[in-house]
Amino acid sequence: MAPNKTLCLSLLLAAAAAATLAAANGGKLSPAYYSTTCPKALPIVQSGVVAAIQKETRIGASLLRLHFHDCFVNGCEASILLDETASIATEKTAVPNQSVRGYDVIDDIKAELEEACPGVVSCADILTLAARDSAWMQLGGPSWEVDLGRKDSLTAGRAAVNTSIPPPTFNLTALAASFSAQGLSFRDLISLSGGHTIGVARCVSFRGHIYNDSDIDPSFAESLQQICPRSGSDGVLAPLDLKTPTHFDNCYYRNLLRKQGLLHSDQELFSGNSEADSIVRTYVNQPSVFFKDFVQGMIKMGNIKLLTGSQGEVRTDCRKVN
């Protein structure tokens, strides 16, 4: 299928997603972890995410990114949510996290959960569920079953943020190494990057790409240069997917074929590497494969370096340890 002749496809892939659910099970986690201790946990998280997206569509992408930034720094243990204290150096002020959003949504969901079942549902599980619900509930993406039972960290890891979160300037080799360090495969890198089918990025993040790179459509670069000058306007926003920025589909990959990836790191996924280029073309022509791979990647990412059992704690306030 020629990308310039085919409309972007958004699928309801319950069957494809269901085939991946077994991959989530393992360790001490279980989709039914809260079935008796907090049976309303999942509906409470879902309703909180839906309400937040209905208020501001962009927050769906923000919650997905919040989960990613948490998991890539010492694992999925909600350390990104901790505020600064005398003994905790918060991750929130590290440069890669300064544009991260969605903390208030997690706060609101946690408050409702504490009212329904105090001290039961961890902030780490809330982040994982909110990421799933953001892609699925309102934005047209796939769904999957989430194993639950994560515990929350007792500290944060600000020093690890700069070395763990891949910046938008990374080339393909560096991106692959960053994902491999988290136990994620090359294919996981390509599929999880598809989360950029929703959301926005700041001028400071794509300036170098639109002024200095050659692997970009000239007219696309020129249009972005109108809102993002060589200096100043760092906070001006542009959609990561120009075509359907608030809908979870495969347009992100179609953009790459046209050399219209917003970030340097986006376009690196389709820049002459035969394996990466082949995967991108597959996702363009078979969006069901993208959805399936994205689900598998999200399950794997959600299980990075977990705290379970007697490790960590269940915070009553996601912003501070008990």
Side-chain angles (χ1 to χ4, degrees), residues 21 24 29-35 37-50 52-53 59-68 70-71 76-78 81 102 105-106 109-110 113 117 120-139 141-150 152 294 298-299 301-303 306 318:
L21 297 185
L29 304 187
S30 167
Y33 189 83
Y34 298 115
S35 60
T37 57
C38 191
K40 294 183 179 179
L42 273 66
I44 288 173
V45 175
Q46 288 177 2
S47 64
V49 170
V50 170
I53 293 176
I59 202 67
S62 299
L63 291 170
L64 195 61
R65 184 181 182 220
L66 182 60
H67 178 51
F68 168 73
D70 180 49
C71 291
C76 307
E77 28 72 295
L81 302 179
V105 177
I106 302 301
I109 293 171
K110 179 61 172 174
L113 285 167
C117 34
V120 174
V121 182
S122 71
C123 302
D125 276 344
I126 295 171
L127 283 173
T128 309
L129 287 167
R132 187 273 307 270
D133 294 344
S134 293
W136 165 48
M137 294 294 291
Q138 293 292 99
L139 303 179
S143 182
W144 61 95
E145 206 168 42
V146 176
D147 270 353
L148 301 167
R150 296 164 186 79
D152 301 324
F294 181 81
M298 287 296 293
I299 290 171
M301 186 178 76
N303 288 331
L306 303 183
C318 290

